[in-house]
């Protein structure tokens, strides 16, 4: 049976103890004081916190129930606290509601931040409808239908609507992949594709929105000056000089822009309050169109709008009242106003236009009705050239007469695509209000796709209905001159054409205000991200949050669009910017889908990478179809912004898809590289740079990094490493600081590569591990670059030169090349420019051709570009120096290297007394250092022996009960026995023996070679800017390591800059292509 236990806590405290009570009171007072001071009081640095992570917890709850995790509570939150923060998370809006001011009862103005409260219909569907349906629908769609025909117009509308629908699907997937803060499309693209693409596309969205404002203002002025108050024009619009109308648009458009800018500057709340009115105008206008179509089908069309044709030429009926040549007034034939336009004089002796004389006048209905059969005439296109007369037939005549309706531009299919596409933009109006939505992840996909579907149906139906109801010449009459200056779509409206005119006017005004409201906030969001330093000033705002500077820049750019003076010329410009934006939205979704990153979990499931790719392809195609030269300009602009952000922008890590794509590409490339070693033609030095740090953990030799950048020029792999002695737990902070200092030095010296600092028990093991394991897969180093250990003779410890020699041995064993720069601090920096000089190569032994490849690589850099290359080789007594020189010149010719060749003869002379004495001094010094080291070791051993004896005596007294003890048996190998004998022999060597010793003959011969070769090198290359020399290998017997250092010192003595090179025994340069 289970047993139930009840645990009752019992406090082990005295019932009444004055001292205990006083102690408790002091402790409570202390806690109250700390609480009042705050958690960050004093000199302590406050901890970094997140908006979703709270480290506050109640000890009374967590202290008893979760005591096992009490150490983690200071840095990680409890699940209940995290869920509470997530449940109460709200978006701080960047939209218009954030900046509205509310005046309280006491008269003090306060900024009120309204919480997200808009649903799908109000927050997404209606704003998208208002932005999509606008100026093109009322001013240009009838002209597009009449010019392209119903079939081609349907193709244009279908292509553009398909592009926006596919983009909306991709955008819905991105928008539902996590919480979307305020910022809309720019935020989504930048976080999905990274700061470089985000900044470029963000500026495209901003410029597109700004030029959309220009287009809406020009549309507003066109409606005002053409259909509402034609008499308000300042300049007269002549038929041969269309600039008169453009000048009127520029003047009135600038005036309208100033008024709209002031409205936005005073307060966005007025724009928001008028938004519903503007949207109502759009909806009423569309309803009037459909009502007119229904009326034309039920009731025969009236004679209010009629078109007068002279033969097959369409006349402007604003200059005459009757479509007749003559009329009877009191039984007298009298010429009409139309007669006077073409004839001079009376009826009897009139001189008339020949075409007027031979052709009759015909008057037709502008709106023939839905069932009239006019749809067959408007089924196919009627494209025309500039100054052609609008006529019912496809072939038309040219004329300069002002009383005909003329084509004001040469029309073709791609032109119509560019003009129409702005009518389907505005699909991101809902996502731009993401901060004001109650549930953006549900509202944005539903509202946007519903709005696109609705507007697509409206556009497709309008194309068919316009072609089925309105006469073709009226459709092709862009400005309604054939119907007495009436808007072409307004001829179809019911109950009055003024419904369309007034509705379209206010619709364009509202869309212009929305553009001037939204564009500055996009620019402000880009500026506040800090990815483009030159835009920082536009991130500032007024006290109420209004982006004042951004609004001024937006108005200035908008004025540029207005000065163009033509809606048809501005429309393709903003089409390019929006198409570029849509292209990258689709690209972002396709990349995220194909990468399958763990964080890609959209709630919107109806997407696929193929749809995104199709939308991206369609966007790119529409760019070049609309205007190929504008497409190139926008692509070049985006590319420049991308490179600028990459070069100067702030470093941002947003977990974007491009970074994931780079990781996948890098993984694939590394796997491919590992399949086979690189060919000789592809070989280049992949450097592992071994740096030494000073006491402050700074780079000891910055010139080594300069030389690295000069040798590499950013090509290939560069790994800059250093080693700290100790344990990682104890020196973790030092390792991070060292890595930071090395990265700063690399940036200063323009060294492109990777940085790595390891902590090891000693530098010897650290460098060994780096040589073995640095790099990844096929991207591993093949060469090691290090500095010569300066002052190795004066160093108290021999570790510096011993580590140096062991590094040489390990690089040789790993089949890696080794470059040792001597006098590295005298090497030129990247800011230096060497005058004409030479880079001298002393080719003693062939170790793969690295000696000849290095000068070629150095001369690619601007520091060494003026230097010439010279190659010296050494001939012995039995060599034919003349033939050697010819062979070497031919070899360099096949290698395509431009260098001067010289063969130096070295005769086998007797060993000089200087060489003998120098070798003797070297060996005596080496022996004395060993004696000093042995003496120090013997003293340490004697102290250890005394300590062991004392320890043993104490152990004997304490362990008398133990009669026996364990015996340790030591096994002596042959090598250990010989080394022990040598150690005893060296230990008993006296100072007299050292000074009476004779040098080893092998060392004498080596010293002789070093001295003789040094004499020749100094004689020939004393003034060279850099000397490259074969580095002899270290001795196999480690006992001669110090002598080896002396040989290298003698070999390079008297030279300012020396690079000792030891190849990897593989060919690195070839004569073959």
């Amino acid at each position: 049976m289970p047993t139930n236990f009840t645990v009752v806590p019992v406090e082990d405290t005295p019932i009444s103890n004055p001292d205990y009570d006083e102690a408790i009171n002091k402790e409570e007072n202390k806690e109250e004081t700390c609480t009042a001071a705050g958690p960050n009081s004093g000199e302590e640095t406050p901890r970094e916190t997140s908006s979703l992570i709270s480290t506050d917890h109640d000890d009374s709850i967590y202290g008893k129930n979760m005591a096992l995790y009490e150490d983690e509570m200071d840095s990680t939150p409890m699940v209940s606290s995290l869920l509470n923060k997530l449940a109460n998370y709200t978006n701080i809006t960047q939209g218009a509601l954030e900046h509205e001011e509310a005046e309280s009862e006491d008269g003090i103005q306060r900024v009120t931040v309204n919480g997200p409260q808009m649903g799908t219909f109000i927050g997404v569907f209606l704003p998208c409808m208002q932005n999509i349906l606008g100026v093109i629908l009322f001013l240009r769609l009838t002209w597009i239908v009449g010019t392209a025909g119903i079939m081609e117009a349907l193709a244009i509308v279908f292509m553009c609507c398909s592009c926006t629908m596919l983009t909306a699907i991709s955008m819905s997937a991105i928008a539902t992949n996590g919480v979307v803060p305020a910022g809309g499309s720019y935020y989504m693209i930048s976080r999905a594709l990274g700061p470089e693409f985000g900044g470029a596309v963000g500026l495209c969205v901003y410029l597109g929105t700004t030029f959309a404002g220009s287009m809406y203002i020009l549309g507003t002025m066109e409606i005002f000056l053409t259909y509402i108050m034609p008499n308000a024009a300042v300049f007269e619009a002549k038929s041969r000089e269309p600039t008169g109308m453009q000048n009127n648009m520029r003047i009135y458009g600038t005036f309208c822009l100033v008024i709209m800018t002031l409205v936005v500057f005073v307060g966005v709340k007025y724009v928001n309050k008028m938004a519903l009115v503007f949207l109502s105008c759009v909806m009423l206008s569309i309803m009037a169109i459909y009502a007119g179509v229904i009326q034309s089908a039920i009731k025969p069309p009236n004679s209010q709008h009629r078109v007068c044709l002279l033969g097959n030429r369409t006349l402007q009926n604003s200059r005459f009242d009757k479509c007749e040549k003559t009329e009877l007034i009191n039984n007298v034939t009298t010429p009409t106003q139309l007669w006077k336009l073409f004839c001079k004089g009376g009826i009897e002796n009139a001189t008339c236009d020949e075409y007027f004389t031979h052709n009759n006048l015909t008057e037709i209905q502008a709106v023939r009705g839905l069932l009239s059969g006019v749809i067959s005439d408007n089924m196919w296109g009627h494209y025309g050239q500039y100054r052609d007369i609008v006529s019912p037939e496809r072939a038309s005549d040219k004329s300069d007469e002002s009383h005909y309706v003329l084509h004001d531009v040469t029309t073709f299919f791609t032109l119509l695509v560019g003009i129409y596409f702005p009518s389907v933009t505005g699909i991101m109006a809902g996502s731009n209000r993401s901060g004001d939505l109650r549930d953006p992840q549900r509202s944005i996909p539903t509202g946007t796709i519903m709005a696109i579907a609705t507007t697509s149906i409206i556009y497709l139906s309008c194309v068919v209905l316009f072609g089925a109801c309105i006469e073709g010449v009226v459709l092709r009459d862009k400005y309604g001159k054939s119907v007495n200056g009436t808007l072409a779509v307004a001829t179809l409206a019911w109950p009055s054409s003024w419904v369309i005119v007034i509705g379209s006017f206010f619709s364009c005004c509202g869309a212009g205000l929305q553009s001037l409201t939204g564009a500055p906030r996009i620019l402000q969001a880009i500026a506040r991200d800090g990815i483009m330093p030159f835009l920082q000033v536009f991130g500032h705002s007024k006290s109420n949050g209004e982006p004042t500077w951004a609004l001024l820049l937006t108005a200035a750019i908008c004025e540029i669009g207005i000065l163009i003076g033509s809606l048809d010329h501005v429309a393709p410009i903003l089409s390019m910017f929006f198409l570029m934006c849509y292209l990258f939205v689709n690209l972002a979704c396709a990349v995220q889908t194909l990468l399958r990153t763990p964080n890609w979990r959209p709630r919107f499931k109806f997407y696929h990478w193929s749809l995104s790719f199709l939308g991206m392809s369609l966007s790119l195609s529409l760019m070049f179809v609309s205007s190929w030269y504008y497409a190139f300009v926008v692509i070049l602009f985006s590319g420049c912004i991308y490179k600028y952000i990459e070069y100067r922008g702030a470093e941002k890590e947003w977990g974007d898809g491009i970074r994931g794509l780079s990781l996948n590409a890098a993984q694939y490339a590394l796997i491919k590289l590992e399949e086979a070693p690189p060919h000789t033609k592809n070989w280049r030095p992949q450097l592992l740079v071994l740096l030494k740090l000073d006491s402050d953990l700074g780079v000891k030799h910055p010139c080594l990094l300069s030389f690295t950048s000069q040798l590499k020029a950013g090509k290939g792999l560069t790994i800059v490493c250093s080693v700290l002695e100790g344990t990682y737990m104890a020196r973790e902070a030092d390792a991070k600081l060292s890595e930071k200092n090395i990265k700063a030095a690399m940036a200063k010296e323009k060294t492109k590569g990777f940085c790595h600092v390891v902590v090891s028990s000693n530098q010897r093991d650290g460098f060994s591990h780096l040589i073995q394991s640095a790099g990844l897969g096929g991207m591993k180093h093949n060469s090691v670059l290090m500095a010569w250990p300066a002052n190795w003779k004066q160093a108290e410890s021999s570790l510096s030169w011993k580590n140096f020699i062991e590094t040489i041995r390990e690089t040789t064993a790993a089949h890696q090349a080794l470059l040792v720069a001597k006098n590295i601090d005298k090497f030129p920096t990247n800011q230096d420019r060497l005058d004409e000089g030479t880079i001298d190569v002393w080719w003693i032994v062939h170790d793969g051709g690295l000696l000849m490849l290095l000068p070629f690589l150095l001369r690619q850099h601007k520091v060494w570009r003026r230097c010439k290359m010279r190659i010296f080789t050494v001939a012995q007594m039995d060599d034919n120096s003349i033939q050697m020189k010819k062979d070497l010149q031919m070899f360099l010719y096949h290698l395509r290297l431009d260098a001067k060749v010289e063969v130096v003869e070295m005769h086998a002379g007797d060993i000089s007394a200087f060489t003998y004495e120098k070798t003797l001094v070297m060996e005596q010094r080496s022996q004395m250092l060993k004696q000093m080291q042995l003496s120090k070791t013997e003293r340490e051993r004697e102290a250890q022996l005394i300590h062991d004896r004392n320890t043993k005596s104490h152990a004997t007294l304490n362990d008398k009960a133990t009669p026996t003890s364990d015996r340790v048996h030591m096994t002596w190998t042959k090598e250990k026995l010989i080394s022990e004998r040598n150690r005893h022999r060296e230990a008993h060597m006296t100072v007299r023996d050292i000074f009476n010793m004779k040098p080893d003959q092998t060392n004498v011969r080596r010293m002789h070679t070093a001295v003789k070769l040094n004499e020749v090198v100094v004689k020939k290359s004393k003034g060279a800017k850099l000397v490259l020399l074969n580095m002899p290998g270290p001795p196999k017997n480690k006992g001669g390591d110090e002598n080896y250092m002396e040989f290298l010192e003698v070999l390079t003595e008297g030279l300012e800059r020396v690079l000792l090179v030891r190849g990897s025994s593989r060919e690195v340069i070839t004569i073959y292509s």
Side-chain angles (χ1 to χ4, degrees):
M1 293 178 62
T3 306
N4 296 327
F5 293 94
T6 302
V7 180
V8 180
V10 179
E11 296 183 0
D12 188 12
T13 57
I15 297 175
S16 61
N17 189 341
D19 297 334
Y20 180 81
D21 294 340
E22 184 178 356
I24 291 296
N25 292 333
K26 288 182 179 179
E27 193 68 26
E28 290 177 353
N29 293 335
K30 182 179 178 181
E31 290 179 3
E32 291 177 0
T33 304
C34 293
T35 304
N40 297 329
S41 61
E43 298 179 357
E44 296 182 359
T45 303
R47 296 178 60 88
E48 294 184 2
T49 59
S50 172
S51 60
L52 299 181
I53 297 178
S54 174
T55 56
D56 299 333
H57 53 268
D58 189 356
D59 292 338
S60 63
I61 299 175
Y62 296 120
K64 295 179 180 179
N65 297 337
M66 294 294 174
L68 183 61
Y69 298 96
E70 59 185 3
D71 293 336
E72 284 80 4
M73 290 179 196
D74 293 334
S75 57
T76 56
M78 295 300 294
V79 174
S80 58
S81 175
L82 176 64
L83 293 177
N84 183 44
K85 286 286 184 181
L86 285 171
N88 296 326
Y89 177 74
T90 58
N91 288 324
I92 303 301
T93 65
Q94 282 185 339
L97 293 178
E98 176 188 5
H99 307 294
E100 290 188 10
E101 294 181 350
E103 192 169 320
S104 60
E105 296 179 356
D106 54 0
I108 301 176
Q109 290 184 345
R110 294 185 176 89
V111 178
T112 61
V113 180
N114 299 328
Q117 57 184 1
M118 290 191 293
T120 303
F121 186 75
I122 299 295
V124 181
F125 181 77
L126 291 182
C128 288
M129 290 281 291
Q130 182 183 1
N131 281 267
I132 295 174
L133 300 173
V135 59
I136 301 297
L137 172 64
F138 301 117
L139 296 182
R140 292 293 183 269
L141 187 58
T142 53
W143 175 68
I144 291 173
V145 173
T147 304
I150 295 175
M151 298 304 295
E152 293 185 23
L154 287 174
I156 293 173
V157 174
F158 180 76
M159 282 194 304
C160 296
C161 291
S162 298
C163 178
T164 55
M165 180 61 78
L166 293 172
T167 304
I169 293 173
S170 300
M171 184 185 68
S172 299
I174 299 174
T176 57
N177 187 48
V179 178
V180 181
S185 55
Y186 162 70
Y187 179 89
M188 290 188 295
I189 298 171
S190 61
R191 269 57 179 180
L193 291 179
E196 293 86 2
F197 281 107
V201 179
L203 279 185
C204 286
V205 175
Y206 164 71
L207 292 175
T209 308
T210 304
F211 277 102
S214 302
M215 185 187 71
Y216 291 131
I217 292 175
L218 288 173
T220 304
M221 292 301 100
E222 181 176 319
I223 295 170
F224 178 75
L225 294 174
T226 307
Y227 306 113
I228 298 178
M229 292 188 64
N231 297 327
V234 178
F235 295 92
E236 182 180 356
K238 298 180 180 179
S239 60
R240 297 187 182 184
E241 297 179 2
T243 55
M245 184 62 182
Q246 293 181 356
N247 290 333
N248 292 325
M249 303 273 283
R250 290 163 184 156
I251 293 175
Y252 281 94
T254 303
F255 181 71
C256 181
L257 174 64
V258 172
I259 294 176
M260 289 185 175
T261 304
L262 290 175
V263 171
V264 175
F265 181 80
V266 169
V268 186
K269 58 182 179 181
Y270 302 111
V271 179
N272 292 328
K273 290 177 180 178
M274 293 296 294
L276 188 59
V277 177
F278 297 140
L279 181 60
S280 301
C281 294
V282 175
M283 303 312 296
L284 287 175
S285 300
I286 294 174
M287 291 172 63
I289 294 174
Y290 284 108
V293 171
I294 295 172
Q295 186 219 20
S296 69
I298 297 174
K299 182 181 177 182
N302 55 23
S303 59
Q304 181 180 0
H305 301 291
R306 303 179 69 86
V307 181
C308 185
L309 298 177
L310 177 60
N312 63 349
R313 297 181 179 182
T314 308
L315 298 174
Q316 299 184 21
N317 61 3
S318 58
R319 300 189 178 186
F320 56 88
D321 53 355
K322 292 182 180 181
C323 185
E324 296 176 356
K325 294 183 179 181
T326 59
E327 59 180 344
L328 289 174
I329 301 177
N330 297 326
N331 294 324
V332 178
T333 303
T334 307
T336 61
Q337 294 178 346
L338 182 58
W339 172 282
K340 297 177 181 178
L341 294 176
F342 291 91
C343 300
K344 296 180 180 179
I347 296 179
E348 294 81 5
N349 56 355
T351 304
C352 297
D353 181 79
E354 183 178 357
Y355 188 85
F356 179 78
T357 306
H358 293 88
N359 289 275
N360 297 322
L361 292 171
T362 308
E363 192 173 25
I364 60 176
Q365 292 283 350
V367 180
R368 295 175 59 180
L370 185 62
L371 305 177
S372 62
V374 73
I375 188 172
S376 59
D377 298 332
N378 295 328
M379 190 63 68
W380 305 106
H382 292 73
Y383 296 103
Q385 298 293 321
Y386 177 64
R387 308 298 297 176
D388 278 358
I389 301 174
V390 176
S391 67
E393 301 175 0
R394 286 183 174 81
S396 57
D397 303 325
K398 289 185 179 292
S399 176
D400 292 333
E401 297 294 337
S402 59
H403 37 261
Y404 291 121
V405 178
L406 306 177
H407 288 286
D408 65 335
V409 66
T410 300
T411 54
F412 43 90
F413 181 80
T414 57
L415 173 72
L416 302 182
V417 173
I419 293 175
Y420 173 77
F421 188 82
S423 65
V424 297
T425 60
I427 63 173
M428 294 185 176
S431 62
N432 290 336
R433 295 183 175 219
S434 56
D436 301 329
L437 299 176
R438 186 183 301 113
D439 186 2
Q441 296 192 27
R442 177 174 298 177
S443 298
I444 290 176
T446 306
T448 305
I449 293 176
M450 284 177 56
I452 294 175
T454 304
T455 53
S456 299
I457 293 172
I458 291 174
Y459 279 125
L460 292 171
S461 62
C462 285
V463 168
V464 176
L465 294 177
F466 289 164
C469 296
I470 304 177
E471 178 63 40
V473 292
V474 179
L475 291 175
R476 289 185 289 280
D477 184 4
K478 185 186 293 186
Y479 302 107
K481 295 179 180 179
S482 62
V483 285
N484 201 18
T486 303
L487 187 62
V489 67
T491 60
L492 188 61
W494 182 88
S496 172
S497 61
W498 285 101
V499 176
I500 298 288
V501 174
I502 300 301
S504 60
F505 177 80
F506 284 108
S507 171
C508 294
C509 285
L513 284 172
Q514 292 290 346
S515 299
L516 289 177
T517 303
R521 283 168 177 77
I522 298 174
L523 182 62
Q524 186 183 39
I526 299 172
R528 286 182 173 177
D529 267 344
I531 58 177
M532 282 178 274
F534 71 92
L535 292 179
Q536 291 293 331
V537 65
F538 300 108
H540 304 301
S541 58
K542 295 193 300 183
S543 58
N544 64 339
E546 288 294 333
T548 307
W549 293 106
L551 177 61
L552 293 177
L553 179 64
T554 302
I557 298 175
C558 193
E559 175 63 19
I560 295 175
I562 291 173
L563 291 178
I564 295 176
S566 174
L567 186 148
D568 299 333
H569 294 158
V570 175
I573 298 176
L574 67 100
S575 296
M576 293 300 111
F577 287 120
F578 279 114
L579 281 169
M580 179 65 74
C581 173
Y582 298 163
L583 185 150
F584 280 106
V585 169
N586 287 290
L587 175 64
C589 183
V591 167
Q592 296 279 20
T593 306
L594 291 174
L595 289 179
R596 298 178 181 175
T597 53
N599 191 54
W600 180 247
R601 304 184 300 274
R603 291 186 178 276
F604 181 78
K605 301 300 181 182
F606 305 100
Y607 70 95
H608 193 265
W609 67 266
S610 59
L611 294 177
S612 301
F613 185 78
L614 180 61
M616 182 176 65
S617 304
L618 190 56
S619 299
L620 186 63
S621 302
L622 286 174
M623 287 178 65
F624 284 94
V625 165
S626 301
S627 177
W628 63 268
Y629 45 89
Y630 278 159
F632 276 121
V633 171
V634 172
I635 292 173
L636 180 63
F637 169 78
S638 301
C640 293
I641 295 298
Y642 178 94
K643 297 304 293 183
Y644 173 80
I645 297 174
E646 187 180 51
Y647 179 68
R648 289 290 305 274
E651 295 181 359
K652 299 286 184 182
E653 176 51 53
W654 289 332
D656 51 272
I658 295 300
R659 186 172 181 84
L661 186 63
S662 301
L663 290 174
N664 279 19
Q667 177 191 7
Y668 175 79
L670 288 174
I671 293 174
K672 294 293 289 183
L673 284 174
E674 205 171 14
E675 292 178 357
H679 193 271
T680 303
K681 293 185 290 185
N682 296 327
W683 194 96
R684 66 168 59 246
Q686 317 287 2
L687 289 182
L688 174 69
V689 185
L690 302 181
L691 281 183
K692 290 291 185 69
L693 302 178
D694 55 23
S695 57
D696 296 329
L697 302 180
V699 178
K700 193 173 183 180
H701 301 295
C703 286
L704 192 63
L705 295 176
S706 300
F707 183 72
T708 302
S709 64
Q710 295 160 17
L711 185 62
K712 299 289 292 178
K715 304 294 189 301
L717 176 69
T718 302
I719 307 175
V720 182
C721 298
S722 187
V723 177
L724 298 179
E725 292 186 354
T727 62
Y728 185 74
M729 296 298 295
R731 305 203 64 181
E732 177 189 1
D734 291 342
K736 292 181 179 179
L737 178 60
S738 303
E739 193 166 332
K740 180 181 178 182
N741 293 339
I742 293 175
K743 287 182 178 179
M746 291 174 65
K748 182 179 179 182
E749 302 298 335
K750 298 180 180 179
T751 304
K752 296 181 180 180
F754 307 98
C755 172
H756 190 44
V757 176
V758 298
V759 181
S760 180
S761 57
N762 55 71
Q763 286 198 345
R764 167 78 189 82
D765 292 340
F767 285 131
S768 176
H769 296 156
L770 288 172
I771 291 173
Q772 295 176 59
S773 61
L776 180 64
M779 286 295 287
K780 292 183 69 69
H781 62 279
N782 54 28
S783 307
V784 177
L785 174 62
M786 60 189 303
W788 174 266
N791 302 323
W792 62 274
K793 291 183 178 181
Q794 290 78 20
E796 296 180 0
S797 175
S798 60
L799 286 177
S800 62
W801 59 267
K802 285 185 177 179
N803 291 341
F804 175 75
I805 295 176
E806 287 301 315
T807 303
I808 298 175
R809 289 194 174 100
E810 289 188 351
T811 54
T812 303
H815 301 289
Q816 297 174 3
L818 177 65
L819 312 178
V820 179
K822 190 177 181 186
N823 301 327
I824 185 62
D825 293 329
K826 295 182 180 180
F827 276 55
T829 63
N830 290 327
Q831 287 73 34
D832 297 333
R833 299 291 182 273
L834 296 179
D835 298 331
E836 293 185 0
T838 59
I839 300 177
D840 289 356
V841 178
W842 284 85
W843 192 18
I844 311 300
V845 295
H846 179 65
D847 54 359
L850 183 58
L851 271 173
M852 288 175 283
L853 183 62
L854 291 176
F856 170 77
L857 296 176
L858 282 175
R859 292 181 65 225
Q860 307 303 310
H861 197 273
K862 53 189 175 184
V863 173
W864 303 90
R865 190 166 295 161
R866 297 182 181 179
C867 296
K868 304 296 182 181
M869 180 178 171
R870 295 193 302 179
I871 296 182
F872 297 89
T873 188
V874 178
Q876 302 296 325
M877 286 294 297
D878 299 334
D879 297 329
N880 186 346
S881 59
I882 298 177
Q883 186 62 36
M884 281 182 63
K885 184 173 182 179
K886 290 182 179 179
D887 293 342
L888 183 56
Q889 287 175 339
M890 180 60 65
F891 182 55
L892 292 177
Y893 174 78
H894 288 305
L895 289 176
R896 290 91 63 200
L897 294 177
D898 185 16
K900 182 180 179 183
V901 176
E902 188 170 343
V903 178
V904 179
E905 297 180 354
M906 286 187 64
H907 301 288
D910 296 332
I911 298 175
S912 63
F914 170 76
T915 303
Y916 188 87
E917 181 180 356
K918 195 172 185 65
T919 308
L920 179 61
V921 171
M922 176 188 71
E923 293 190 356
Q924 288 175 348
R925 178 180 178 277
S926 176
Q927 196 61 44
M928 289 182 67
L929 288 174
K930 289 180 180 179
Q931 185 69 27
M932 294 171 60
Q933 186 69 23
L934 288 171
S935 301
K936 180 180 178 182
T937 307
E938 289 296 331
R939 289 196 301 272
E940 293 176 353
R941 288 186 178 183
E942 185 176 355
Q944 184 67 31
L945 182 61
I946 295 172
H947 178 268
D948 292 343
R949 286 176 180 175
N950 293 334
T951 305
K952 184 177 180 181
S953 62
H954 286 295
T956 303
L957 293 174
N958 295 332
D959 300 334
K960 289 182 179 180
T962 306
T964 60
S965 61
D966 296 335
R967 299 182 63 186
V968 179
H969 298 275
M970 299 183 64
T971 303
W972 288 76
T973 62
K974 182 179 179 180
E975 291 79 6
K976 188 170 184 179
L977 180 62
I978 294 173
S979 64
E980 192 68 17
R981 285 177 180 176
N982 291 335
R983 186 179 65 80
H984 282 289
R985 189 182 301 113
E986 291 173 352
H988 292 89
M989 183 176 288
T990 61
V991 177
R992 183 181 299 175
D993 295 333
I994 293 175
F995 283 101
N996 291 333
M997 65 184 294
K998 293 183 178 181
D1000 185 23
Q1001 291 302 315
T1002 304
N1003 290 336
V1004 172
R1005 290 198 309 272
R1006 291 177 177 175
M1007 183 63 74
H1008 174 71
T1009 303
V1011 171
K1012 286 295 183 181
L1013 190 57
N1014 176 260
E1015 289 177 357
V1016 176
V1017 172
V1018 170
K1019 179 181 178 181
K1020 296 288 186 180
S1021 303
K1022 179 70 174 179
K1025 301 298 182 182
L1026 179 64
V1027 176
L1028 282 79
L1029 191 63
N1030 279 119
M1031 185 179 188
K1036 297 180 180 179
N1037 181 16
K1038 294 186 179 181
D1041 284 355
E1042 189 175 5
N1043 298 336
Y1044 172 73
M1045 294 294 293
E1046 191 70 39
F1047 294 147
L1048 294 181
E1049 196 72 59
V1050 172
L1051 182 63
T1052 58
E1053 188 177 2
L1055 299 174
E1056 184 179 11
R1057 303 188 190 106
V1058 182
L1059 184 66
L1060 296 172
V1061 181
R1062 184 164 177 78
S1064 60
S1065 300
R1066 66 157 292 176
E1067 294 295 329
V1068 300
I1069 192 169
T1070 178
I1071 64 175
Y1072 300 104
S1073 60

